[in-house]
Amino acid sequence: MKLTLLLPGLLWLDGHDGADVCKGLQLPALQRLLGQGERAAKPATLSELLTAPWRGSAAGLARLRARAAGLPAERGDWLLADPVHVRVDRDRALLADIGVMSLSQAEAETLADAANRHFADDGWRIHPLEPGRWLLQLDAPAAASFSPLPDVVGEDINEHLPQGERGLDWSRLLNELQMLLYAHPLNDEREARGELGVNSLWLWGGGVEPGWRAPAEQVFADEDWLGWIAAEAGEPCLPAPYDFAGFIDQAGGRDSLLALDALQAAAQYRDAWGWRETLQRLERDWFAPLLQALRQGRIDSLALRAHGPGGLELKVSRNDLWKFWKRPLPLSALY
């Protein structure tokens, strides 16, 4: 059995203080895997990490979702338009996604209706299919490129402005949208309850579907849009198990791709304590039993991939574990 493990958030995203954040972490199984496997630098954004095994990208997700929802996907242009909260912090504007907000379907429809009325003359039609996943239908081509939302969460949006022929037009429209949402009474009510306001939409997933192909016999992932890709590729996508024992039972010896996002949010939002605590849980529930399974031959090979400017790919086989001259490598040594 071959296991490809995508582990977003394994590497602290700010390399300049990564070693300090890792200081004192005791992760013996992970350290042995890092030290005895073959490592290669592989910088990647989060969306690139998650879509590369499918031999595609995040392009075309909006049209794919529209088709699945029974909307006229071949008519006009389509973008995902996900509700977000943007917080100004000195000279930056940091983005938070639905993962840290509680938004009801009724609230989503109220805000979408307001935006639809305001931008009707611009050829917009927003479809709030779910509280956290909206679609924007356009009469004319967007003629711009947009950063995938997973790559922007916790980051400065000023580094991810729309690009392309109409990039500046879209920046203007989004500023107008932000002012509309900021002033909406619903957001006043949310803030009075101590909840984050929905003060912007993040546009992404436009373009043409790249023709995704199934990367393994079995796929485990929790990201909803990875499930869309899997369905398009004709591959079942199961929820990621909580621990390795659950995974090995469900995998049944079949080659598998597992996207394990337990570290992702803590890394994106720079929650150092949460990140360290989750790493220690993963050491117990995943890395230690995974190392044991490699030793026993229940897993023939592991390919572990992590994203970020210091992204890497680690390949480990059972034979690698006999290389006694290769010492365990602390996570802090990667920075």
Side-chain angles (χ1 to χ4, degrees):
M1 171 188 175
K2 298 177 181 178
L3 171 60
T4 300
L5 176 59
L6 307 182
L7 204 52
L10 174 65
L11 302 174
W12 192 250
L13 297 176
D14 298 326
H16 61 275
D17 60 5
D20 287 337
V21 175
C22 293
K23 190 176 294 183
L25 277 173
Q26 299 299 315
L27 307 167
L30 177 61
Q31 291 170 194
R32 184 160 292 280
L33 292 169
L34 289 172
Q36 295 193 287
E38 297 296 328
R39 297 187 318 280
K42 202 165 187 178
T45 66
L46 178 51
S47 66
E48 288 170 344
L49 172 76
L50 296 177
T51 57
W54 302 87
R55 302 183 187 181
S57 68
L61 285 175
R63 200 176 297 275
L64 179 63
R65 184 69 182 96
R67 189 180 302 116
L71 296 169
E74 311 312 320
R75 189 183 307 161
D77 208 353
W78 292 85
L79 293 166
L80 290 168
D82 292 341
V84 297
H85 177 82
V86 176
R87 176 175 63 86
V88 176
D89 178 26
R90 298 182 182 177
D91 58 345
R92 303 181 300 169
L94 302 178
L95 183 142
D97 69 352
I98 193 66
V100 296
M101 291 190 287
S102 175
L103 185 69
S104 70
Q105 183 64 29
E107 289 176 314
E109 291 172 0
T110 296
L111 294 173
D113 286 345
N116 280 332
R117 289 193 300 271
H118 186 88
F119 291 100
D121 291 342
D122 294 290
W124 287 29
R125 177 60 182 169
I126 294 174
H127 303 269
L129 300 182
E130 305 169 38
R133 287 279 187 245
W134 303 6
L135 282 170
L136 172 58
Q137 182 181 6
L138 301 168
D139 291 340
S145 60
F146 304 87
S147 294
L149 177 60
D151 302 341
V152 190
V153 174
E155 303 296 330
D156 181 4
I157 66 171
N158 294 315
E159 298 178 5
H160 296 274
L161 298 176
Q163 302 295 312
E165 179 184 341
R166 293 195 59 220
L168 290 177
D169 292 337
W170 278 105
S171 293
R172 176 185 57 78
L173 288 167
L174 289 171
N175 284 335
E176 190 174 336
L177 173 66
Q178 288 167 10
M179 289 187 286
L180 172 73
L181 294 177
Y182 177 79
H184 197 285
L186 177 59
N187 275 323
D188 293 336
E189 296 171 10
R190 289 179 58 82
E191 290 171 6
R193 298 195 302 264
E195 299 177 2
L196 292 176
V198 178
N199 58 13
S200 191
L201 302 179
W202 193 260
L203 307 181
W204 65 294
V208 179
E209 299 149 72
W212 300 285
R213 284 182 280 177
E217 295 177 74
Q218 192 147 280
V219 174
F220 299 84
D222 291 329
E223 285 279 8
D224 58 349
W225 56 271
L226 285 178
W228 309 343
I229 291 175
E232 181 70 8
E235 181 81 5
C237 184
L238 300 175
Y242 180 79
D243 57 18
F244 181 80
F247 162 73
I248 202 72
D249 287 344
Q250 292 184 58
R254 295 184 291 274
D255 291 351
S256 298
L257 172 76
L258 168 62
L260 191 61
D261 63 5
L263 290 162
Q264 180 176 313
Q268 288 174 319
Y269 292 112
R270 298 346 187 238
D271 174 10
W273 288 109
W275 184 77
R276 288 171 61 92
E277 289 176 357
T278 303
L279 268 172
Q280 290 168 331
R281 181 185 73 76
L282 293 180
E283 170 70 19
R284 180 189 71 237
D285 294 341
W286 283 95
F287 303 139
L290 175 55
L291 177 61
Q292 184 68 11
L294 276 166
R295 285 172 172 157
Q296 295 171 345
R298 288 189 293 159
I299 290 183
D300 300 314
S301 65
L302 166 70
L304 185 156
R305 299 170 188 159
H307 82 294
L312 61 77
E313 180 174 53
L314 173 73
K315 294 183 177 180
V316 191
S317 68
R318 188 182 186 188
N319 288 339
D320 289 325
L321 301 180
W322 290 99
K323 297 176 181 178
F324 59 88
W325 61 90
K326 299 183 73 172
R327 309 300 298 170
L329 184 74
L331 195 58
S332 58
L334 298 177
Y335 301 95

